[in-house]
Amino acid sequence: MALERTISIIKPDAVAKNVVGQIYARFENAGLKVVAAKMKHLSRREAEGFYAVHRERPFFNALVEFMISGPVMIQVLEGENAVAKNRELMGATNPKEAAAGTIRADFAQSIDANAVHGSDSLENAAIETAYFFAATELCPR
Ligand code: RTP
Ligand code: MG
């Protein structure tokens, strides 16, 4: 087992529903530690840059519009197998297909407003962490 870090973003729908604390509890109960966090209302440029990999996808514009529709809560999670563990806690992209008890099953409305983002690989976790945080903002503990 490897100690990893991953990026989690609580999306505008879940921040608006006031369930940041309930989602943090899921991380904590699974043994993931928050080692950096910030609430931010993303600019269009920031959201487009973050999701640049999806630029050619048909849902890109809707995704960007949604991600800038309100503040998001961005955190770096640290723990054993943090990347996969966070994806497991999140559940499937489409909440209709998300397993019972996952964050998306419990808090997401639709495939667009799906409550959370999580890095999909260790490599992307490092890229996404650097996108939002300076090295000095990480607090290993
Ligand atoms: P995320 O990146 O947000 O953690 O979600 P994911 O890996 O489960 O899904 P991904 O394929 O990376 O897609 C990014 C976000 O785009 C929206 N999406 N909409 N309408 C659609 O078919 C569609 N497909 C993806 C979702 O909000 C997804 O979280
Ligand atoms: Mg993704």
Side-chain angles (χ1 to χ4, degrees), residues 114-130:
N114 64 358
V116 281
H117 162 83
S119 308
D120 58 13
S121 68
L122 204 49
E123 188 191 0
N124 284 334
I127 293 168
E128 294 175 0
T129 298

Side-chain angles (χ1 to χ4, degrees), residues 51 54 87 117-118 120:
Y51 280 119
H54 293 310
R87 299 283 299 188
H117 162 83
D120 58 13

Side-chain angles (χ1 to χ4, degrees), residues 27-49:
F27 301 146
E28 292 171 354
N29 291 337
L32 295 173
K33 294 178 177 177
V34 176
V35 297
K38 63 175 73 162
M39 185 171 273
K40 207 164 194 269
H41 197 144
L42 300 180
S43 68
R44 185 175 298 275
R45 180 188 287 253
E46 279 174 319
E48 286 175 351

